[in-house]
Amino acid sequence: MSATWYECKIKYKKIDETSGMLRVKTEPFLVDAISYTEAESRITEEMSAYLSDTEEIKITNIKVANYAEIHPFENSDRWFKSKVSLIAFDEESGKERKTNMYLLVQANDVKEAYDNTVSVMKDTMGDYTIPAISESPIMDVFPYFSGEEDELDRLERFNALKASVPADNDMDEELEMADVLSDEEE
């Protein structure tokens, strides 16, 4: 059974990273549900973990999202929408036919999103192209897990991937200098 993803726009108070002030923000989140009603209750439940008891959220919009698959990746903090065109040959008309699908892929930049999309599609038997990748406004993704034992492992892996932070690639001056000095001594 394939998942139905609902995009829920939520209005709530959040500390602005640039000014440090508490501001009202409207941000989209993705939730896996079987109906609009379940999507509303699930997003309310998921967001309550991030808010204090006195803060409230307002759901401004819920709509069915058109993502075929969602793929979290380790050490990534943003979501990208990848348009993938599956190419099939129509034998009756003798023409190529393209069918588009959209993937939500986690990455740090567009190049990494492209690489992650290619890695997701590597086992695809047919031909495909990736005509577009754009950063998605989606802030977070909340998949549904039934609580069965085999799904608990999937939930833990999904949350671990989602919660991982990008690796810090800043250069450590002391280690770099020690490395240079050790090369000169040899």
Side-chain angles (χ1 to χ4, degrees):
M1 184 175 151
S2 66
T4 303
W5 293 95
Y6 290 85
E7 185 177 318
C8 303
K9 286 199 177 176
I10 309 299
K11 186 182 253 185
Y12 65 105
K13 291 181 182 176
K14 180 179 178 182
I15 295 177
D16 188 18
E17 293 174 6
T18 55
S19 68
M21 303 276 298
L22 197 62
R23 298 199 188 271
V24 175
K25 298 269 187 175
T26 301
E27 296 175 328
F29 294 86
L30 220 57
V31 65
D32 179 12
I34 56 173
S35 67
Y36 286 92
T37 306
E38 184 189 8
E40 180 181 7
S41 78
R42 289 218 38 241
I43 195 64
T44 303
E45 178 186 330
E46 294 286 355
M47 292 303 293
S48 67
Y50 298 105
L51 304 171
S52 69
D53 292 337
T54 59
E55 293 178 312
E56 292 183 7
I57 65 167
K58 181 178 181 182
I59 300 170
T60 59
N61 189 17
I62 297 177
K63 66 180 180 180
V64 175
N66 64 343
Y67 298 111
E69 299 173 4
I70 309 293
H71 295 281
F73 281 87
E74 198 168 347
N75 298 328
S76 302
D77 60 350
R78 298 185 335 222
W79 292 97
F80 290 84
K81 184 176 185 175
S82 296
K83 179 180 179 180
V84 177
S85 295
L86 302 173
I87 301 169
F89 185 74
D90 187 2
E91 293 180 14
E92 290 180 18
S93 65
K95 296 181 181 179
E96 272 189 359
R97 192 180 55 185
K98 290 184 179 181
T99 304
N100 294 326
M101 70 176 190
Y102 297 93
L103 307 178
L104 191 64
V105 179
Q106 201 172 20
N108 292 313
D109 56 31
V110 174
K111 182 184 181 323
E112 187 178 332
Y114 175 82
D115 294 341
N116 290 348
T117 303
V118 169
S119 74
V120 164
M121 298 296 293
K122 73 177 181 275
D123 294 330
T124 303
M125 298 298 272
D127 293 335
Y128 67 91
T129 60
I130 305 171
I133 294 180
S134 61
E135 187 170 359
S136 170
I138 301 293
M139 297 303 293
D140 207 349
V141 175
F142 302 108
Y144 176 78
F145 292 100
S146 67
E148 294 177 12
E149 194 168 320
D150 63 328
E151 286 198 353
L152 289 176
D153 290 338
R154 283 184 38 220
L155 174 62
E156 287 175 14
R157 281 196 313 271
F158 187 91
N159 285 332
L161 283 173
K162 197 171 75 169
S164 64
V165 293
D168 185 14
N169 293 329
D170 292 339
M171 186 171 43
D172 186 345
E173 297 285 333
E174 288 182 34
L175 289 176
E176 188 67 28
M177 188 55 119
D179 191 34
V180 168
L181 292 175
S182 69
D183 286 345
E184 289 176 359
E185 291 174 359
E186 293 174 359

